Amino acid sequence: MSLAQQRILIVGGSNGMGLAAAQRLARIGADVLIAGRSQSRLDAALARIEGRAAGYVVDFTDAASLAALFERVGRIDHLVLAASSNAAWGPFSATSAEALRRALESKLIGYWQTLQAALPHICRDGSVVMLAGAASRTALPGTAGLAAVNGGITQMARTLAKELAPLRINVVSPGLVDTPAYDRLPAEAKAAMFDGAAKSLPVGRTGTADDIAQAIEFLIANGFTTGALIDVDGGARMAA
């Protein structure tokens, strides 16, 4: 399927993997719409996208904000859910139920509400791509909260691939990817973490945002793929 002229909305498209997907899709001629919480970040992202692109402010945890977004956006061919969340990191014994609730609200429920709001506006032969995470595909101590949230997204998507057919629903599960989310770490600590992870992976390196963007492009373009989960993790699920 040619994506030229197709309208693709990326929620969470102002940073990291969402922005990389917007850049890649715009380069091949898609009409890219990005949505995020911050106007300044949207403006900065739009300056980095070569091609047709527009930005919209939205709080994807708020139903009224989502309704207003889709009234403005109108018809779309494809939806990418790439928004980040409040992560429930840490040992199970020390991770509170409240931390898990915040993580569920800001990602799983956020994805749920966004797709519900999008349904009247998305083409029936279009697609939805959701970003989950490698924590739900491994068994890494300290990530039970992440696994719960991202595992919920994966199972939700598989069910919706049947329930909402012929709309295609797919998931990308990224591993450790170098995005601005890790810039809050001291430079030496970040370098040590990424170097250590690279050595543990079969591919010998950690991921880039464009690695994830390539998978998103494939799932949007391939009209014969639905209910799929693509691990773009360098083999982390085998190395753990």
Side-chain angles (χ1 to χ4, degrees), residues 2-35:
S2 171
L3 298 184
Q5 314 271 322
Q6 299 259 309
R7 301 190 84 225
I8 303 172
L9 173 62
I10 304 174
V11 178
S14 62
N15 209 355
M17 293 175 273
L19 174 56
Q23 291 171 316
R24 173 173 281 272
L25 293 165
R27 283 197 299 269
I28 61 175
D31 186 2
V32 173
L33 314 172
I34 61 174

mmCIF file of all heavy atoms in Angstrom, residues 2-35:
data_model
loop_
_atom_site.group_PDB
_atom_site.id
_atom_site.type_symbol
_atom_site.label_atom_id
_atom_site.label_comp_id
_atom_site.label_asym_id
_atom_site.label_seq_id
_atom_site.Cartn_x
_atom_site.Cartn_y
_atom_site.Cartn_z
ATOM 1 N N SER A 2 0.611 2.151 -0.938
ATOM 2 C CA SER A 2 1.330 3.419 -0.934
ATOM 3 C C SER A 2 0.759 4.324 0.149
ATOM 4 O O SER A 2 -0.456 4.470 0.285
ATOM 5 C CB SER A 2 1.201 4.108 -2.293
ATOM 6 O OG SER A 2 1.724 5.415 -2.221
ATOM 7 N N LEU A 3 1.655 4.922 0.923
ATOM 8 C CA LEU A 3 1.213 5.804 1.988
ATOM 9 C C LEU A 3 1.194 7.269 1.563
ATOM 10 O O LEU A 3 0.813 8.132 2.363
ATOM 11 C CB LEU A 3 2.101 5.628 3.219
ATOM 12 C CG LEU A 3 2.087 4.227 3.845
ATOM 13 C CD1 LEU A 3 2.933 4.199 5.104
ATOM 14 C CD2 LEU A 3 0.666 3.780 4.150
ATOM 15 N N ALA A 4 1.589 7.538 0.329
ATOM 16 C CA ALA A 4 1.534 8.913 -0.158
ATOM 17 C C ALA A 4 0.102 9.416 -0.108
ATOM 18 O O ALA A 4 -0.837 8.714 -0.493
ATOM 19 C CB ALA A 4 2.073 8.984 -1.589
ATOM 20 N N GLN A 5 -0.072 10.604 0.430
ATOM 21 C CA GLN A 5 -1.366 11.273 0.547
ATOM 22 C C GLN A 5 -2.246 10.704 1.658
ATOM 23 O O GLN A 5 -3.332 11.242 1.920
ATOM 24 C CB GLN A 5 -2.145 11.206 -0.780
ATOM 25 C CG GLN A 5 -1.317 11.556 -1.997
ATOM 26 C CD GLN A 5 -1.336 13.038 -2.330
ATOM 27 O OE1 GLN A 5 -2.353 13.674 -2.186
ATOM 28 N NE2 GLN A 5 -0.234 13.554 -2.784
ATOM 29 N N GLN A 6 -1.829 9.629 2.316
ATOM 30 C CA GLN A 6 -2.616 9.079 3.415
ATOM 31 C C GLN A 6 -2.473 9.987 4.635
ATOM 32 O O GLN A 6 -1.404 10.539 4.900
ATOM 33 C CB GLN A 6 -2.124 7.674 3.764
ATOM 34 C CG GLN A 6 -2.239 6.680 2.618
ATOM 35 C CD GLN A 6 -3.429 5.768 2.744
ATOM 36 O OE1 GLN A 6 -3.656 5.145 3.768
ATOM 37 N NE2 GLN A 6 -4.220 5.683 1.696
ATOM 38 N N ARG A 7 -3.565 10.128 5.397
ATOM 39 C CA ARG A 7 -3.539 10.967 6.597
ATOM 40 C C ARG A 7 -3.264 10.087 7.814
ATOM 41 O O ARG A 7 -4.038 9.180 8.132
ATOM 42 C CB ARG A 7 -4.859 11.721 6.780
ATOM 43 C CG ARG A 7 -5.211 12.619 5.611
ATOM 44 C CD ARG A 7 -6.403 13.521 5.942
ATOM 45 N NE ARG A 7 -5.973 14.718 6.663
ATOM 46 C CZ ARG A 7 -6.579 15.203 7.740
ATOM 47 N NH1 ARG A 7 -7.607 14.577 8.265
ATOM 48 N NH2 ARG A 7 -6.146 16.315 8.309
ATOM 49 N N ILE A 8 -2.166 10.369 8.488
ATOM 50 C CA ILE A 8 -1.719 9.545 9.603
ATOM 51 C C ILE A 8 -1.578 10.424 10.840
ATOM 52 O O ILE A 8 -0.813 11.391 10.846
ATOM 53 C CB ILE A 8 -0.376 8.864 9.280
ATOM 54 C CG1 ILE A 8 -0.489 8.034 7.999
ATOM 55 C CG2 ILE A 8 0.075 8.002 10.462
ATOM 56 C CD1 ILE A 8 0.830 7.472 7.504
ATOM 57 N N LEU A 9 -2.327 10.095 11.885
ATOM 58 C CA LEU A 9 -2.256 10.824 13.148
ATOM 59 C C LEU A 9 -1.375 10.047 14.115
ATOM 60 O O LEU A 9 -1.622 8.867 14.378
ATOM 61 C CB LEU A 9 -3.654 11.003 13.746
ATOM 62 C CG LEU A 9 -3.712 11.602 15.152
ATOM 63 C CD1 LEU A 9 -3.123 13.017 15.192
ATOM 64 C CD2 LEU A 9 -5.141 11.599 15.685
ATOM 65 N N ILE A 10 -0.366 10.726 14.660
ATOM 66 C CA ILE A 10 0.539 10.117 15.636
ATOM 67 C C ILE A 10 0.352 10.833 16.964
ATOM 68 O O ILE A 10 0.733 11.995 17.120
ATOM 69 C CB ILE A 10 2.003 10.209 15.175
ATOM 70 C CG1 ILE A 10 2.172 9.571 13.792
ATOM 71 C CG2 ILE A 10 2.932 9.541 16.204
ATOM 72 C CD1 ILE A 10 3.557 9.734 13.203
ATOM 73 N N VAL A 11 -0.259 10.149 17.922
ATOM 74 C CA VAL A 11 -0.425 10.702 19.260
ATOM 75 C C VAL A 11 0.848 10.386 20.034
ATOM 76 O O VAL A 11 1.208 9.228 20.216
ATOM 77 C CB VAL A 11 -1.667 10.116 19.955
ATOM 78 C CG1 VAL A 11 -1.789 10.662 21.366
ATOM 79 C CG2 VAL A 11 -2.920 10.439 19.147
ATOM 80 N N GLY A 12 1.526 11.438 20.481
ATOM 81 C CA GLY A 12 2.866 11.276 21.035
ATOM 82 C C GLY A 12 3.918 11.460 19.959
ATOM 83 O O GLY A 12 5.010 10.905 20.053
ATOM 84 N N GLY A 13 3.606 12.261 18.961
ATOM 85 C CA GLY A 13 4.499 12.420 17.811
ATOM 86 C C GLY A 13 5.474 13.573 17.916
ATOM 87 O O GLY A 13 6.141 13.898 16.931
ATOM 88 N N SER A 14 5.578 14.201 19.092
ATOM 89 C CA SER A 14 6.457 15.360 19.201
ATOM 90 C C SER A 14 7.831 15.024 19.734
ATOM 91 O O SER A 14 8.679 15.909 19.880
ATOM 92 C CB SER A 14 5.810 16.428 20.109
ATOM 93 O OG SER A 14 5.627 15.923 21.415
ATOM 94 N N ASN A 15 8.083 13.745 20.011
ATOM 95 C CA ASN A 15 9.349 13.397 20.643
ATOM 96 C C ASN A 15 9.665 11.929 20.373
ATOM 97 O O ASN A 15 8.782 11.136 20.059
ATOM 98 C CB ASN A 15 9.277 13.646 22.155
ATOM 99 C CG ASN A 15 10.627 13.989 22.758
ATOM 100 O OD1 ASN A 15 11.643 13.959 22.077
ATOM 101 N ND2 ASN A 15 10.631 14.314 24.032
ATOM 102 N N GLY A 16 10.933 11.570 20.476
ATOM 103 C CA GLY A 16 11.348 10.177 20.496
ATOM 104 C C GLY A 16 10.867 9.363 19.310
ATOM 105 O O GLY A 16 10.993 9.758 18.153
ATOM 106 N N MET A 17 10.297 8.192 19.612
ATOM 107 C CA MET A 17 9.891 7.254 18.575
ATOM 108 C C MET A 17 8.735 7.785 17.741
ATOM 109 O O MET A 17 8.662 7.543 16.531
ATOM 110 C CB MET A 17 9.556 5.910 19.208
ATOM 111 C CG MET A 17 10.772 5.226 19.813
ATOM 112 S SD MET A 17 10.404 3.690 20.711
ATOM 113 C CE MET A 17 10.029 4.342 22.342
ATOM 114 N N GLY A 18 7.809 8.509 18.376
ATOM 115 C CA GLY A 18 6.709 9.090 17.622
ATOM 116 C C GLY A 18 7.186 10.101 16.607
ATOM 117 O O GLY A 18 6.709 10.138 15.467
ATOM 118 N N LEU A 19 8.143 10.932 16.984
ATOM 119 C CA LEU A 19 8.695 11.918 16.058
ATOM 120 C C LEU A 19 9.451 11.228 14.935
ATOM 121 O O LEU A 19 9.327 11.627 13.763
ATOM 122 C CB LEU A 19 9.619 12.885 16.799
ATOM 123 C CG LEU A 19 10.386 13.892 15.935
ATOM 124 C CD1 LEU A 19 9.446 14.721 15.073
ATOM 125 C CD2 LEU A 19 11.255 14.786 16.816
ATOM 126 N N ALA A 20 10.221 10.192 15.240
ATOM 127 C CA ALA A 20 10.940 9.457 14.191
ATOM 128 C C ALA A 20 9.965 8.868 13.179
ATOM 129 O O ALA A 20 10.221 8.878 11.963
ATOM 130 C CB ALA A 20 11.794 8.358 14.811
ATOM 131 N N ALA A 21 8.837 8.354 13.659
ATOM 132 C CA ALA A 21 7.819 7.826 12.745
ATOM 133 C C ALA A 21 7.239 8.940 11.886
ATOM 134 O O ALA A 21 7.031 8.775 10.674
ATOM 135 C CB ALA A 21 6.715 7.132 13.538
ATOM 136 N N ALA A 22 6.972 10.097 12.491
ATOM 137 C CA ALA A 22 6.442 11.232 11.728
ATOM 138 C C ALA A 22 7.425 11.655 10.639
ATOM 139 O O ALA A 22 7.020 11.928 9.496
ATOM 140 C CB ALA A 22 6.159 12.395 12.676
ATOM 141 N N GLN A 23 8.695 11.721 10.963
ATOM 142 C CA GLN A 23 9.708 12.110 9.984
ATOM 143 C C GLN A 23 9.762 11.116 8.833
ATOM 144 O O GLN A 23 9.805 11.492 7.656
ATOM 145 C CB GLN A 23 11.069 12.219 10.670
ATOM 146 C CG GLN A 23 11.173 13.385 11.632
ATOM 147 C CD GLN A 23 12.439 13.345 12.462
ATOM 148 O OE1 GLN A 23 12.836 12.288 12.974
ATOM 149 N NE2 GLN A 23 13.093 14.482 12.615
ATOM 150 N N ARG A 24 9.773 9.833 9.156
ATOM 151 C CA ARG A 24 9.862 8.795 8.124
ATOM 152 C C ARG A 24 8.628 8.808 7.223
ATOM 153 O O ARG A 24 8.727 8.723 5.995
ATOM 154 C CB ARG A 24 10.045 7.432 8.794
ATOM 155 C CG ARG A 24 9.976 6.238 7.847
ATOM 156 C CD ARG A 24 10.345 4.952 8.553
ATOM 157 N NE ARG A 24 11.792 4.841 8.679
ATOM 158 C CZ ARG A 24 12.586 4.299 7.751
ATOM 159 N NH1 ARG A 24 12.071 3.819 6.615
ATOM 160 N NH2 ARG A 24 13.871 4.220 7.928
ATOM 161 N N LEU A 25 7.449 8.910 7.816
ATOM 162 C CA LEU A 25 6.219 8.866 7.032
ATOM 163 C C LEU A 25 6.042 10.116 6.180
ATOM 164 O O LEU A 25 5.543 10.048 5.049
ATOM 165 C CB LEU A 25 5.034 8.674 7.973
ATOM 166 C CG LEU A 25 5.002 7.313 8.690
ATOM 167 C CD1 LEU A 25 4.020 7.341 9.856
ATOM 168 C CD2 LEU A 25 4.660 6.200 7.710
ATOM 169 N N ALA A 26 6.442 11.264 6.700
ATOM 170 C CA ALA A 26 6.351 12.492 5.913
ATOM 171 C C ALA A 26 7.283 12.446 4.710
ATOM 172 O O ALA A 26 6.945 12.956 3.632
ATOM 173 C CB ALA A 26 6.674 13.704 6.781
ATOM 174 N N ARG A 27 8.459 11.830 4.872
ATOM 175 C CA ARG A 27 9.419 11.752 3.761
ATOM 176 C C ARG A 27 8.872 10.944 2.589
ATOM 177 O O ARG A 27 9.280 11.178 1.437
ATOM 178 C CB ARG A 27 10.743 11.139 4.238
ATOM 179 C CG ARG A 27 11.632 12.086 5.021
ATOM 180 C CD ARG A 27 13.053 11.563 5.100
ATOM 181 N NE ARG A 27 13.160 10.280 5.756
ATOM 182 C CZ ARG A 27 13.365 10.118 7.051
ATOM 183 N NH1 ARG A 27 13.479 11.183 7.854
ATOM 184 N NH2 ARG A 27 13.455 8.906 7.584
ATOM 185 N N ILE A 28 7.990 9.993 2.862
ATOM 186 C CA ILE A 28 7.457 9.187 1.758
ATOM 187 C C ILE A 28 6.131 9.742 1.251
ATOM 188 O O ILE A 28 5.442 9.092 0.463
ATOM 189 C CB ILE A 28 7.308 7.710 2.164
ATOM 190 C CG1 ILE A 28 6.338 7.547 3.342
ATOM 191 C CG2 ILE A 28 8.662 7.109 2.489
ATOM 192 C CD1 ILE A 28 6.069 6.097 3.712
ATOM 193 N N GLY A 29 5.757 10.927 1.710
ATOM 194 C CA GLY A 29 4.613 11.620 1.125
ATOM 195 C C GLY A 29 3.317 11.541 1.894
ATOM 196 O O GLY A 29 2.283 12.020 1.410
ATOM 197 N N ALA A 30 3.332 10.966 3.093
ATOM 198 C CA ALA A 30 2.110 10.921 3.897
ATOM 199 C C ALA A 30 1.792 12.310 4.443
ATOM 200 O O ALA A 30 2.671 13.156 4.606
ATOM 201 C CB ALA A 30 2.269 9.928 5.039
ATOM 202 N N ASP A 31 0.538 12.522 4.722
ATOM 203 C CA ASP A 31 0.069 13.749 5.371
ATOM 204 C C ASP A 31 0.065 13.465 6.868
ATOM 205 O O ASP A 31 -0.819 12.769 7.376
ATOM 206 C CB ASP A 31 -1.333 14.080 4.860
ATOM 207 C CG ASP A 31 -1.847 15.412 5.368
ATOM 208 O OD1 ASP A 31 -1.099 16.107 6.085
ATOM 209 O OD2 ASP A 31 -2.993 15.758 5.053
ATOM 210 N N VAL A 32 1.070 13.957 7.576
ATOM 211 C CA VAL A 32 1.314 13.573 8.962
ATOM 212 C C VAL A 32 0.734 14.609 9.923
ATOM 213 O O VAL A 32 0.972 15.815 9.781
ATOM 214 C CB VAL A 32 2.825 13.401 9.218
ATOM 215 C CG1 VAL A 32 3.097 13.159 10.707
ATOM 216 C CG2 VAL A 32 3.369 12.244 8.389
ATOM 217 N N LEU A 33 -0.001 14.123 10.907
ATOM 218 C CA LEU A 33 -0.544 14.954 11.976
ATOM 219 C C LEU A 33 0.036 14.435 13.285
ATOM 220 O O LEU A 33 -0.022 13.232 13.556
ATOM 221 C CB LEU A 33 -2.067 14.846 12.016
ATOM 222 C CG LEU A 33 -2.792 14.948 10.663
ATOM 223 C CD1 LEU A 33 -4.263 14.623 10.827
ATOM 224 C CD2 LEU A 33 -2.607 16.321 10.063
ATOM 225 N N ILE A 34 0.621 15.318 14.078
ATOM 226 C CA ILE A 34 1.165 14.898 15.355
ATOM 227 C C ILE A 34 0.409 15.585 16.478
ATOM 228 O O ILE A 34 -0.032 16.721 16.348
ATOM 229 C CB ILE A 34 2.682 15.176 15.463
ATOM 230 C CG1 ILE A 34 2.997 16.669 15.332
ATOM 231 C CG2 ILE A 34 3.449 14.357 14.443
ATOM 232 C CD1 ILE A 34 4.466 17.007 15.587
ATOM 233 N N ALA A 35 0.230 14.864 17.575
ATOM 234 C CA ALA A 35 -0.495 15.399 18.720
ATOM 235 C C ALA A 35 0.305 15.148 19.985
ATOM 236 O O ALA A 35 0.908 14.089 20.154
ATOM 237 C CB ALA A 35 -1.881 14.756 18.837
#
